[in-house]
Amino acid sequence: QKEVEQNSGPLSVPEGAIASLNCTYSDRVSQSFFWYRQYSGKSPELIMSIYSNGDKEDGRFTAQLNKASQYVSLLIRDSQPSDSATYLCAVNIKGAQKLVFGQGTRLTINP
Amino acid sequence: DADVTQTPRNRITKTGKRIMLECSQTKGHDRMYWYRQDPGLGLRLIYYSFDVKDINKGEISDGYSVSRQAQAKFSLSLESAIPNQTALYFCATGEGANTEAFFGQGTRLTVV
């Protein structure tokens, strides 16, 4: 079982709709979770971090964490064409203290 | 200037050659990482380091070695490059446990 798993997509969403991205992880004691956005040929950039169960909102982005289900998600409201990118989920694996990434979900927002 | 700098940005090398990718940072972070990115496979961890004397293997360390010359410098070496090591390589830094990583601009390596 991979330590961090995402649906690789591609995910296509119409402009103005909500995009929902999902991630599961295997280490039950992981404590910190991150979403990165990566445009083609560019470096990943951090868009959200979450540490506690529940929702965390930042502008059009909402991260959701459910530690019991070992599940973290990212919602993008009012999707814009500029949101088209690959979204990477990352989890700090507590025991080894390493930051592990999922395979990424490629998102396309259609005008 | 970028906080995390990778050199070179692009490199083409021949099979069997030794190559070193360098990473330096001005963020003052203890942790440094090397990742490899291939299409559809996300970022895979090659090596990571907590400080100069603490280096750890990641999930795909075979064929690679690293050196942490100073807190600010972490280099990745391919002792004998092979074509399936063609990929985009990223260096990243982190402040401590449970913190995010900050990435360099990436090095695109092609082995022919």
Side-chain angles (χ1 to χ4, degrees):
Chain A
Q1 182 184 6
K2 291 184 178 179
E3 292 174 297
V4 181
E5 292 201 65
Q6 296 179 250
N7 185 332
S8 60
L11 177 64
S12 184
V13 173
E15 183 175 357
I18 296 175
S20 178
L21 304 160
N22 304 315
C23 174
T24 59
Y25 60 94
S26 61
D27 182 49
R28 290 185 169 275
V29 297
S30 294
Q31 294 183 326
S32 54
F33 308 85
F34 308 95
W35 282 100
Y36 285 78
R37 177 177 62 200
Q38 186 180 24
Y39 294 113
S40 181
K42 302 295 185 181
S43 306
E45 57 177 328
L46 181 71
I47 53 173
M48 290 288 287
S49 60
I50 187 165
Y51 301 91
S52 303
N53 277 331
D55 295 357
K56 179 182 177 182
E57 187 174 320
D58 184 0
R60 296 185 297 111
F61 298 96
T62 299
Q64 299 174 318
L65 175 61
N66 183 326
K67 290 186 178 181
S69 299
Q70 295 172 235
Y71 178 93
V72 59
S73 64
L74 178 71
L75 301 178
I76 307 174
R77 290 182 301 280
D78 189 22
S79 297
Q80 303 296 309
S82 60
D83 295 326
S84 297
T86 295
Y87 288 80
L88 297 157
C89 172
V91 177
N92 250 307
I93 304 300
K94 186 178 182 183
Q97 297 188 44
K98 59 182 179 179
L99 187 62
V100 178
F101 285 78
Q103 65 267 50
T105 298
R106 187 156 57 91
L107 173 66
T108 300
I109 307 300
N110 299 307
Chain B
D1 288 341
D3 293 325
V4 184
T5 303
Q6 293 182 231
T7 56
R9 294 292 310 279
N10 290 282
R11 180 73 181 266
I12 300 173
T13 192
K14 292 184 178 180
T15 298
K17 292 291 187 182
R18 183 180 189 274
I19 183 169
M20 179 182 291
L21 309 183
E22 299 187 350
C23 178
S24 63
Q25 53 124 342
T26 58
K27 298 185 78 65
H29 290 166
D30 288 330
R31 292 162 185 255
M32 297 189 75
Y33 304 87
W34 275 105
Y35 291 93
R36 165 181 173 158
Q37 187 170 40
D38 300 276
L41 295 178
L43 290 164
R44 292 185 291 168
L45 185 61
I46 307 172
Y47 274 95
Y48 59 110
S49 171
F50 297 145
D51 63 34
V52 174
K53 296 182 180 179
D54 191 346
I55 294 177
N56 303 276
K57 292 183 177 180
E59 58 184 307
I60 55 163
S61 59
D62 287 348
Y64 301 95
S65 62
V66 291
S67 174
R68 186 84 183 264
Q69 302 95 324
Q71 188 208 31
K73 295 184 182 295
F74 192 37
S75 59
L76 175 72
S77 293
L78 287 68
E79 297 301 326
S80 180
I82 56 177
N84 76 2
Q85 291 177 312
T86 293
L88 184 56
Y89 290 84
F90 285 104
C91 173
T93 72
E95 191 169 12
N98 295 321
T99 62
E100 68 269 32
F102 297 86
F103 285 83
Q105 314 96 308
T107 296
R108 186 167 296 280
L109 176 67
T110 303
V111 183
V112 297

